[in-house]
Amino acid sequence: MKLSRAYIPTQKETPSDAVIPSHRLMIRGGFIKPLAAGIYTILPIGWKVVKKVIEIIRQEMDKIGAQELHMPAINPIEIWDESGRNKSFGDEMFRLKDRKGRGLVLAPTHEEIICDLARKYIKSYKDMPQMWYQIQTKFRDEPRPRSGVMRTRQFTMKDSYSLDCDPEGMRKSYELHAEAYRNIFKRCGIKFHVVGASSGLMGGSASQEFMMETENGEDVLVLCDNCGYSSNMEVAASKFQEKTNSGKYNSLTEIHTPGKRTIQEVSEFLSINPWELIKSILYISEKNEPFIALVRGDHDVNEEKLAKIVGAEIRPAHPDEVKEVCGAETGFVGPVKTAKKVRIIADNALENGKNFIAGANENDYHLGGIDVSRDIGFASFGDIRNVVSGDLCINCGSKLRVTHAVELGHIFQLGTKYAKTMKAFFLDSSGKENPVYMGSYGIGVERLVASIIEQNHDDKGIVWEPFLTPYHVHVMPINMSVNEIANMAEKIYNMFIENSIETIMDDREVSPGFKFKDADLLGMPIQIVIGKKWLNDGKIELKIRKTGETFEVKEEELLLKVNSILFNKA
RNA sequence: CGGGGCGUAGCGCAGCCCGGUCAGCGCGCAUGCUUCGGGAGCAUGAGGUCGAGAGUUCAAAUCUCUCCGCCCCGACCA
């Protein structure tokens, strides 16, 4: 491709709304163009990269025996009512009506359709195992699209589904996927962690996420660099650090704390450590039952864990509900003497603790000297807090590290949840009817591309690996108006093309600096410069984008050199 | 959905506070000449319903209201 004819709209200025590097570089390099919030056109060189990533995915999926199919992106809403997820997806699902008024949805994922296929065609244990996948556009009306192509409302997903007769079969399919995913991310040059995760809206038993560590990630990870324990913060476990309370308040005492609401304000006001306080938060379950969650002052409530213990969806209470249940405004809420009797769930770190301070359920007052077993002995205990940096690993006792990451892939063992509600049954070898065991597995394609850039760039631009780059070689004739240069560039360009090396040539009549900057921004692995050195010494300059290394090469050696750099060919 | 910010030429922005030579700057774009090793110089030129609507006023990019869009921070997911 010649740049003079290519649609690669690079720009010098960083768009003001792009914050993370991959977003900035994809916009500046002409890889993507925004159309609306969370909706992007993928421009030609962006699409070239996407296609290469998809090919890697396809190869690895085929390798584990999965079969590619293509399901409709537009679904009748009834099938989503049947699984109950029309409701649970809520506003996140795009809904529309056809001309007759029939309800349709733009599919955010495809478990329902797979289940429908399964119940129609899987009749016998002999029909399984099956693994089906597709690479397809998904639609999710995200509450907050973000960070360019990292989180969008329309995106490409590789989603696959396994169907098995029993749990062992399902685990086998799950392991095959885990293996394929490791290969895919390795081949994309991603450094990743596989972590235990929450199943969220998908439901089911086990699930793991493939995460790339980056400060710009939306997820929080807990890692043990010693034994390799890794988990999403949503479900991470840890041993908490034991703390000793000063005993400044060692019997039940009301303390006047005017206007001091937060842990920080109260601990500073009373000159005590944050961990001597009990953080009390009122939640309301979906069954409209209020309850108070208690964690130590230096900890945070983990709502995922809490919801699991409660066995229902939960939400923080509104201010008026707090007033009604506890008798005081937020900031002065505590477990002792609430206005209404209320269930209390406390974190393990509080069990048997003494001399704590909490809100007194009276505005501008806290209560000191709380003995947990004496004063709130009716509470139940559990792990309901987030791991904090410095907590210890439950396996090996080393210090845990808390870090940010992007979720690139997620694999689920769904079990029989969908099969049962949607009646996907088969006959086993004894003629008995059983529900199908499902697994579901996803990779966000554009997000993967953005992550690759996130991990492979410098201050000048993107740095592509040879197997993902839109073009292998970027040829730069320094001055198109000098015939010897233009002709040589043309000759080299044609030679590369004939030898299956993907080449882009900057044949524009622009200044050299302009070409160098664009080449660095676009990030092809090899830059070929034809300029003064060619005119004076008959040498062609070859520069490796990643290292900045340069070579002066004779024309007849060029192809060999390029091949060896790109593909390690001798 | 809460909190914060923004919307003026393709991109980045100034102007708004204090209504009235405020329709402006840089980059980009077009044409010509000169240039040609890290986003060249000179000259000429095209390009804007100032997000939309309503209101206040002799007069609105500027003040008021409503709506729309976009971004960032929090509750969800590949």
Side-chain angles (χ1 to χ4, degrees):
Chain A
M1 179 53 71
K2 293 184 177 168
L3 259 172
S4 61
R5 293 190 291 117
Y7 182 53
I8 304 177
T10 57
Q11 55 186 64
K12 184 162 72 173
E13 312 255 11
T14 301
S16 56
D17 54 8
V19 174
I20 70 169
S22 61
H23 187 191
R24 283 204 299 265
L25 292 169
M26 288 176 93
I27 297 279
R28 284 194 51 213
F31 290 80
I32 55 170
K33 186 86 188 164
L35 177 66
I39 303 176
Y40 287 83
T41 298
I42 300 174
L43 299 177
I45 49 167
W47 189 242
K48 274 185 82 87
V49 178
V50 167
K51 281 190 290 187
K52 290 190 178 186
V53 168
I54 286 178
E55 196 43 40
I56 289 175
I57 294 174
R58 195 169 266 143
Q59 285 172 7
E60 295 298 329
M61 293 309 297
D62 289 346
K63 207 192 273 179
I64 60 167
Q67 306 156 76
E68 185 166 2
L69 48 60
H70 200 81
M71 289 176 272
I74 188 165
N75 300 170
I77 200 161
E78 287 81 5
I79 197 162
W80 288 83
D81 280 325
E82 200 181 336
S83 69
R85 290 210 297 181
N86 181 26
K87 187 158 175 281
S88 53
F89 258 100
D91 290 336
E92 198 146 325
M93 203 149 60
F94 283 105
R95 294 175 176 79
L96 59 154
K97 284 200 190 318
D98 70 11
R99 61 172 71 207
K100 294 177 202 153
R102 183 185 188 186
L104 298 165
V105 308
L106 296 177
T109 174
H110 279 84
E111 282 77 10
E112 279 76 359
I113 311 306
I114 289 287
C115 241
D116 185 59
L117 291 173
R119 68 186 170 189
K120 283 175 179 155
Y121 302 113
I122 304 287
K123 294 293 174 197
S124 155
Y125 70 98
K126 292 176 192 163
D127 297 330
M128 288 184 282
Q130 289 291 336
M131 286 192 281
W132 300 333
Y133 78 98
Q134 63 175 348
I135 292 160
Q136 197 221 28
T137 305
K138 294 283 185 280
F139 301 87
R140 293 184 187 175
D141 194 358
E142 288 288 341
R144 185 148 97 82
R146 221 184 300 207
S147 304
V149 104
M150 279 284 186
R151 176 177 215 81
T152 53
R153 298 195 292 171
Q154 169 176 344
F155 62 99
T156 311
M157 180 156 93
K158 189 292 299 175
D159 48 324
S160 46
Y161 306 87
S162 61
L163 305 169
D164 282 279
C165 307
D166 50 35
E168 294 83 79
M170 174 177 72
R171 273 193 284 278
K172 208 172 285 172
S173 299
Y174 181 86
E175 280 312 318
L176 283 172
H177 272 87
E179 180 60 29
Y181 276 35
R182 281 193 288 271
N183 289 338
I184 288 165
F185 297 125
K186 249 183 249 167
R187 286 179 65 184
C188 289
I190 297 269
K191 294 186 204 95
F192 60 93
H193 299 282
V194 184
V195 309
S198 155
S199 303
L201 269 181
M202 294 298 174
S205 46
S207 104
Q208 284 174 303
E209 290 167 327
F210 289 74
M211 296 287 216
M212 185 185 90
E213 211 177 325
T214 159
E215 57 180 15
N216 297 314
E218 304 180 311
D219 283 76
V220 182
L221 243 50
V222 176
L223 301 172
C224 175
D225 291 325
N226 182 47
C227 74
Y229 172 81
S230 58
S231 176
N232 195 305
M233 178 65 90
E234 291 167 355
V235 295
S238 70
K239 289 182 205 156
F240 54 88
Q241 290 177 300
E242 300 277 357
K243 302 277 188 187
T244 317
N245 289 352
S246 61
K248 190 169 173 184
Y249 299 94
N250 54 17
S251 62
L252 273 187
T253 335
E254 286 223 334
I255 309 162
H256 191 48
T257 50
K260 309 295 178 191
R261 291 164 182 268
T262 65
I263 295 290
Q264 197 191 343
E265 285 165 0
V266 177
S267 60
E268 277 169 13
F269 182 71
L270 301 176
S271 327
I272 52 157
N273 301 301
W275 64 77
E276 300 187 49
L277 291 161
I278 294 176
K279 198 181 282 183
S280 319
I281 299 172
L282 184 69
Y283 284 91
I284 309 286
S285 78
E286 63 185 334
K287 292 161 200 152
N288 246 338
E289 288 161 343
F291 62 95
I292 294 175
L294 303 179
V295 293
R296 209 167 68 185
D298 58 329
H299 289 152
D300 284 316
V301 173
N302 178 317
E303 295 186 359
E304 290 259 340
K305 292 180 184 176
L306 189 56
K308 206 166 281 176
I309 288 179
V310 175
E313 299 272 308
I314 57 167
R315 62 167 174 84
H318 303 306
D320 51 318
E321 292 166 329
V322 172
K323 192 90 198 265
E324 189 193 331
V325 174
C326 300
E329 286 169 21
T330 55
F332 305 103
V333 168
V336 185
K337 292 189 286 185
T338 50
K340 290 189 173 173
K341 200 128 183 77
V342 61
R343 179 181 175 192
I344 291 180
I345 302 174
D347 184 68
N348 291 330
L350 294 172
E351 197 158 11
N352 300 320
K354 287 184 173 52
N355 304 333
F356 277 112
I357 296 161
N361 295 317
E362 185 183 342
N363 281 353
D364 296 331
Y365 283 92
H366 278 73
L367 189 64
I370 296 175
D371 179 323
V372 175
S373 53
R374 181 191 66 202
D375 302 319
I376 37 182
F378 57 96
S380 57
F381 291 86
D383 176 10
I384 59 164
R385 75 180 182 284
N386 274 333
V387 173
V388 292
S389 210
D391 275 2
L392 304 179
C393 177
I394 46 160
N395 293 335
C396 73
S398 304
K399 280 211 169 176
L400 292 169
R401 189 160 64 88
V402 175
T403 183
H404 285 264
V406 195
E407 180 184 355
L408 297 175
H410 201 158
I411 56 178
F412 301 86
Q413 293 179 24
L414 298 174
T416 55
K417 175 186 162 178
Y418 290 88
K420 278 179 179 159
T421 51
M422 295 187 61
K423 301 187 176 60
F425 295 107
F426 68 99
L427 295 180
D428 65 20
S429 55
S430 60
K432 203 175 138 240
E433 194 168 65
N434 285 311
V436 168
Y437 282 80
M438 272 183 76
S440 147
Y441 318 88
I443 292 177
V445 175
E446 291 91 342
R447 180 181 285 186
L448 177 52
V449 171
S451 300
I452 289 163
I453 294 171
E454 203 65 31
Q455 208 179 269
N456 298 284
H457 70 272
D458 58 22
D459 54 345
K460 298 197 199 80
I462 304 173
V463 182
W464 291 110
E465 295 292 341
F467 37 88
L468 293 171
T469 186
Y471 294 92
H472 296 122
V473 173
H474 192 126
V475 177
M476 276 178 281
I478 280 309
N479 186 342
M480 285 303 288
S481 57
V482 177
N483 280 335
E484 293 96 313
I485 290 177
N487 292 341
M488 189 56 204
E490 184 74 22
K491 191 175 168 196
I492 290 172
Y493 174 75
N494 288 326
M495 175 185 73
F496 283 144
I497 301 283
E498 278 160 29
N499 286 277
S500 303
I501 290 174
E502 294 175 278
T503 307
I504 189 151
M505 176 161 89
D506 194 345
D507 59 336
R508 297 172 300 178
E509 303 252 12
V510 296
S511 69
F514 203 99
K515 295 188 180 187
F516 287 125
K517 293 287 187 194
D518 259 0
D520 288 343
L521 172 62
L522 296 174
M524 313 317 167
I526 294 180
Q527 299 174 359
I528 302 282
V529 181
I530 300 137
K532 260 188 204 141
K533 286 264 162 48
W534 169 249
L535 291 177
N536 299 338
D537 316 326
K539 294 278 182 61
I540 293 150
E541 292 166 76
L542 183 156
K543 183 171 171 185
I544 298 179
R545 170 68 178 87
K546 191 173 189 170
T547 60
E549 256 179 302
T550 58
F551 302 89
E552 290 176 15
V553 187
K554 287 190 212 141
E555 183 193 344
E556 57 271 24
E557 293 166 350
L558 190 57
L559 187 62
L560 198 67
K561 184 79 183 166
V562 164
N563 262 317
S564 87
I565 293 169
L566 288 173
F567 310 114
N568 289 318
K569 280 190 201 157

